[in-house]
Each structure stands twice: as C-alpha cells, then as structure tokens.
C-alpha cells in the first residue's frame, strides 16, 4: 500500500510527481503548478512538485520544463522510479497509457489521468487494481475539462437520486457547430482551427463522431447511477451527417441543435446516448457556444443544476488535473476504505441496472421530409403517425420555390419510443409522394 506520511518529518517533504506526456495538457499542468505553487501548497498542506517528465520528444520536454526536471524518453523508468509518489498520465489512448497506468498502480503509485477513453473502456479493471493496491486513481479532467463535474456528481450531489444528466461535453463539436452557424465557415476549416487550438483529440474522428462525448457520458453515468463503466452499451452518433438545412429549420421553430450526451434513469433501465439534439433556444444550455461545455444534472432533491466552463484546452484542463493532485495529497493518509469511492458508490454496492438499447428510448423527434407538392400528401403522413400513436407538436411546410414541384415538410413530434418512430418513418419513406429518406433528429425539452 502506498503511504506518504510516515512521520512528522516525512510530512514536511514535498509530494513528488511524475508526468507522462508533456503535450497540450501536460505543459499546462507544469506551468500552472509552477505559477501557483505557493497557493497550491497552502491548500494541499505540503508542496507538490513535478520532478520527472517522460515524453517521446525529450528536447521539447526539456525546453518546456526549462531544464528544471529530469526528462526521460522511456516512460517505464518513470512509473518504476521509487521517488515518485503520484503519476500523471497525459499521453492519451488506451494502448501504452493503459500499460503505464497499471504498472504505476502495481508499483504503489497514485494515478491522475485526463484520459476519458481509458477510463470509459478500462475503468473497471483499473479501479479494481487500484483498490487491491490501496492507491487512488483520479480523473476529474477526463470529463468536461476544467469543470469540476466529477466532484459535483460524486460528492456535492451525494444526497440525491440522480434522475438525468444532459451535457454539451465535447468542445470541438460545439466549436464547429457554433462557428459554422455564426460565421458560415466550412466544417473542415473549423475542425482544423479546433485542432490548432488544442481542443481536438489526437484522432479527431473521436470528436466529430461522438465517441469522445460518449466516453465522458459513460463515466458520468457510472458515477450518477452506481453502475460499472459500460462504453460498449452507449448509443453514439456524431455531427458529420448533420445538414445546414436542419440547423436553419430548427432555428425557425425556436430550437438550437447541439451534440448532447444524455443519460437518464428510467423504470426499465438507463439511457446512455450521444447524438445531435434539438433544444429550445430559450434554455441556457442552448446558448453555450464555442469550445465551452455545460452539464445539466437533475437530482430528486436539488432539482436542476447547471455546470458551465471551458471543456478543453491546456490550462483549463490542467486546473482539473491539479485539483486531483491536491485531493490525493490531502487524502493519502486516510484508510483506503474511508476514501471517496471512484464511482461515488461503494464498490460492493454497485447496481446491475441494465443500459437500454436505443430502440427502447423514449424522446421527441424532428422529422424533415422532401415531398411532392400535391393534395393529400400531408394527410398520408399524418395518418401514418396517428396510426402509430405519435402526436404532432408543431409543423412547418415550406412553399416550393418557383418552378419546383417538391417541397420540405418539417414536423416536431411529442414523445414516443424510438422503435415506434423508426417503424413510422419506414412507412412514410414507402409513400410514392415522399422523395428520398426522412431526416430524424431527436429533441429534448430538458424540463
Ligand atoms: P497531446 O497529444 O498534446 O500530448 C500527448 C503527449 O504525450 C505528447 O507530448 C506525446 O509526445 C507524448 N507521448 C506519446 N506517446 C508517449 C510515450 N509512449 N511516452 C511518453 N510520452 C508520450 O495530448 P493532450 O495533452 O491534448 O491530451 C492528453 C490527454 O488529455 C488525452 O487523454 C486527452 O484525451 C486528454 N484531454 C485533453 C484535453 C485537451 O483539451 N487537449 C482536455 C481533456 C482531456 P509526441 O507529441 O512526441 O507524440
Ligand atoms: N477533444 C475534447 C473536446 C477535449 O473537444 O472536448 C476535451 O476533453
């Protein structure tokens, strides 16, 4: 078992930290820790210093650390160094990062990571290893960058039955949607800018296809509902198929389209889904722009709460990494069984509530169909919806442009099960008067 505080004399020693990967977040962590070292030490009760860095590019690492710390190329040297108390993993991915985290734990070191991909896919194994070894694994920076949402869910809201969480939890896609809408810029141009600003993942398809948001949502769902991390059960849809036409129609109907991560406890099980979603433009969360993140949490006692801030970037993410360093420094003397559990619930009190398939999810829908401008078309469509017990909340029918014989019909439905709407869409698409496929986007009133 790892223990920092052996006696009073030992108590005065600084905590020695090893940093794996000094890229965007790693360099921010080094700089903030150095800049605010006095204040951080006053909060933590002792100094926290990075004494060793491992990075493939040792020349850059030496330059970034002003030659003040030992720099190594082989990360294995760092995780087995007996002088290191806490290892910060900021390499990313679940290849080498997983090996190094498990080695660090096996060597009795506490671990801080910002790696949501790793926690969402291998968290159960990592927490078990840490539990057995009596060390801590902290991952505040893995969800929503600088926003202390893990702390809020795990500790601040601990009195509540969490009912649902809905969040804009990927800065890159929110930045892309905002810039495309406000400046009319092309998708590829904005994505390049997000990469330049350090928001995007090493593989940006993780951002734009919704995978990164699903990693973060998986982690939040586990903490909110006390279930093991189950990324493989998440429904994942990104923004690459979203069309500018739908963004415009949504605005005309009083909605904004955001990439939302939604998890909800229902009587049948837990919803776990990431997809573009229409939200009423009047909701605060609909006005979260650029790389900013926001997470809404509804608890049975507290009602709705909203957490907002920078979800990506060097120093905002470093803020969360360092908060974990301070937490570990403060809690290291507590018996492992008296520390805050990783997933908020005690490991022997986890639930086996099932995660629902998307077909079982109930929500509202935006439907856009391109139809022949003929009498009776609308009646055919509404009959199909009525026969499936789907009621219409609002409708928009565009005048065909001059010389055109086809036009768009947009409908907003009340809540129904996904399997119902899919069956109705198949029937609508089979009508001879409907051209091509029906566009379906989910809609949440969030009230
Ligand atoms: P970067 O790519 O900027 O940094 C990763 C660093 O790790 C690079 O310096 C890289 O070196 C180094 N590295 C790669 N392989 C090894 C290895 N085998 N041994 C030692 N060093 C290695 O990533 P970020 O800082 O952006 O992200 C780090 C983590 O933080 C990821 O898990 C990411 O998902 C997460 N995160 C990132 C946020 C952000 O805003 N960027 C926000 C929240 C979380 P080289 O460049 O030479 O390959
Ligand atoms: N690529 C992520 C994002 C980084 O854009 O939100 C923060 O986790």
């Amino acid at each position: 078992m790892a223990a920092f505080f052996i006696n009073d004399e030992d108590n005065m020693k600084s905590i020695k930290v090893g940093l794996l990967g000094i890229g965007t977040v790693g360099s921010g962590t080094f700089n903030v820790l150095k800049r605010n070292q006095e204040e951080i030490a006053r909060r933590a009760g002792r100094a926290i210093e990075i004494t060793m860095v491992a990075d493939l590019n040792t020349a850059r690492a030496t330059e970034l650390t002003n030659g003040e710390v030992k720099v190594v190329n082989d990360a294995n040297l760092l995780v087995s160094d007996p002088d290191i108390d806490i290892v910060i993993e900021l390499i990313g991915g679940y290849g080498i990062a997983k090996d190094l985290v498990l080695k660090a734990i096996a060597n009795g070191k506490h671990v801080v990571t910002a790696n949501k991909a790793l926690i969402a896919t291998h968290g159960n194994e990592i927490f078990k290893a840490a539990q057995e070894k009596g060390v801590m694994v902290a991952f505040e920076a893995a969800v929503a960058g600088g926003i202390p949402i893990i702390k809020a869910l795990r500790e601040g809201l601990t009195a509540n039955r969490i009912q649902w969480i809905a969040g804009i939890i990927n800065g890159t896609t929110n930045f892309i949607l905002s810039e495309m809408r406000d400046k009319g810029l092309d998708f590829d141009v904005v994505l390049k800018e997000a990469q330049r600003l350090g928001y995007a993942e090493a593989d940006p398809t993780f951002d734009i296809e919704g995978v990164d948001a699903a990693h973060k949502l998986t982690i939040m769902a586990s903490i909110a509902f006390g279930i093991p991390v189950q990324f493989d059960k998440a429904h994942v849809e990104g923004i690459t198929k979203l069309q500018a036409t739908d963004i415009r129609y949504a605005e005309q109907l009083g909605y904004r389209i955001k990439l939302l991560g939604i998890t909800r406890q229902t009587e049948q099980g837990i919803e776990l889904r990431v997809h573009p979603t229409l939200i009423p433009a009047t909701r605060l969360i609909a006005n979260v722009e650029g790389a900013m993140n926001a997470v809404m949490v509804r608890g049975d006692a507290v009602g709705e709460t909203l957490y907002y801030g920078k979800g990506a970037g060097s120093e905002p993410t470093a803020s969360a990494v360092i908060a974990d360093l301070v937490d570990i420094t403060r809690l290291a003397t507590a018996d492992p069984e008296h520390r805050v559990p990783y997933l908020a619930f005690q490991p022997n009190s986890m639930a086996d509530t099932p995660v629902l398939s998307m077909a079982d999810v109930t929500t509202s829908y935006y439907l856009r169909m391109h139809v022949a401008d003929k009498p009776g078309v609308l009646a055919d469509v509404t009959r199909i919806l009525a026969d499936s017990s789907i009621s219409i909340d609002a409708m928009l029918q565009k005048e065909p442009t001059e010389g055109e014989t086809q036009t768009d019909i947009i409908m907003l439905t009340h809540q129904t099960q996904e399997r119902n709407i899919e069956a109705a869409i198949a029937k609508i698409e089979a009508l001879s008067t409907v051209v091509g496929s029906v566009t379906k986007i989910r809609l949440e009133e969030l009230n």
Side-chain angles (χ1 to χ4, degrees), residues 20-26 54-57 60 72-75 89-93 96 100 113-117 141-142 145 198-202 212 216 311-314 317:
L20 297 172
I22 187 158
T24 305
V25 184
D55 199 284
L56 297 179
N57 189 336
R60 191 190 54 196
V72 292
N73 171 269
D74 181 0
E89 183 280 304
L90 295 174
I91 291 174
I96 181 82
L100 292 168
T113 180
N115 191 337
K116 51 266 160 146
Y199 304 149
E201 294 304 299
D212 176 74
K216 295 166 180 166
S314 182
T317 312

Side-chain angles (χ1 to χ4, degrees), residues 123 149 181 260 296 350:
I149 188 65
R181 195 194 63 222
L260 273 199
M296 282 177 87
M350 299 295 278

Side-chain angles (χ1 to χ4, degrees), residues 290-352:
M292 302 306 278
N293 279 196
V295 184
M296 282 177 87
V297 183
R298 188 179 166 82
D300 66 337
V302 72
E304 277 161 32
T305 54
L306 177 67
Y307 308 83
Y308 170 81
K310 288 189 177 149
S314 182
E315 293 204 357
T317 312
S319 164
V321 169
I322 296 168
D324 278 345
L325 287 178
V326 172
D327 260 2
I328 291 180
T329 303
R330 287 172 176 157
L331 287 171
T333 45
D335 292 338
E337 57 272 27
H338 294 133
R339 292 177 189 150
V340 183
Y342 305 112
L343 297 178
F345 291 72
Q346 297 298 336
N348 57 1
S349 301
M350 299 295 278
D352 57 1

Side-chain angles (χ1 to χ4, degrees), residues 256-301:
R256 289 260 166 93
I257 300 184
K258 295 286 183 187
L259 184 71
L260 273 199
I262 301 168
T263 184
R264 190 192 311 264
Q265 179 134 43
T266 73
E267 280 180 12
Q268 293 72 37
I270 288 162
E271 297 179 6
L272 189 61
R273 51 194 171 103
V274 170
H275 48 70
T277 312
L278 272 80
I279 323 171
T282 48
R283 297 263 178 277
L284 274 177
I285 197 168
N287 296 286
V288 171
E289 304 292 7
M292 302 306 278
N293 279 196
V295 184
M296 282 177 87
V297 183
R298 188 179 166 82
D300 66 337

Side-chain angles (χ1 to χ4, degrees), residues 157-168:
L157 297 175
T158 201
N160 289 263
R161 277 195 91 227
I162 305 291
Q163 295 168 325
W164 53 260
I165 300 175
I168 295 173

Side-chain angles (χ1 to χ4, degrees), residues 30-100:
F30 184 84
N31 292 336
V32 175
L33 198 52
K34 192 168 172 214
R35 189 170 73 230
N36 298 340
Q37 58 184 339
E38 244 187 79
E39 207 138 355
I40 290 167
R42 281 170 57 211
R43 291 187 174 125
R46 61 201 287 195
I48 300 175
E49 54 170 337
I50 292 176
T51 53
M52 192 170 182
V53 172
D55 199 284
L56 297 179
N57 189 336
T58 49
R60 191 190 54 196
T62 305
E63 195 187 324
L64 287 170
T65 53
N66 314 308
E68 291 164 10
V69 306
K70 184 173 173 187
V71 172
V72 292
N73 171 269
D74 181 0
N76 287 295
L77 294 176
L78 189 152
V79 296
S80 55
D81 189 306
D83 289 336
I84 299 291
D85 301 307
I86 306 176
V87 169
I88 311 180
E89 183 280 304
L90 295 174
I91 291 174
Y94 23 62
I96 181 82
K98 182 186 170 202
D99 293 347
L100 292 168

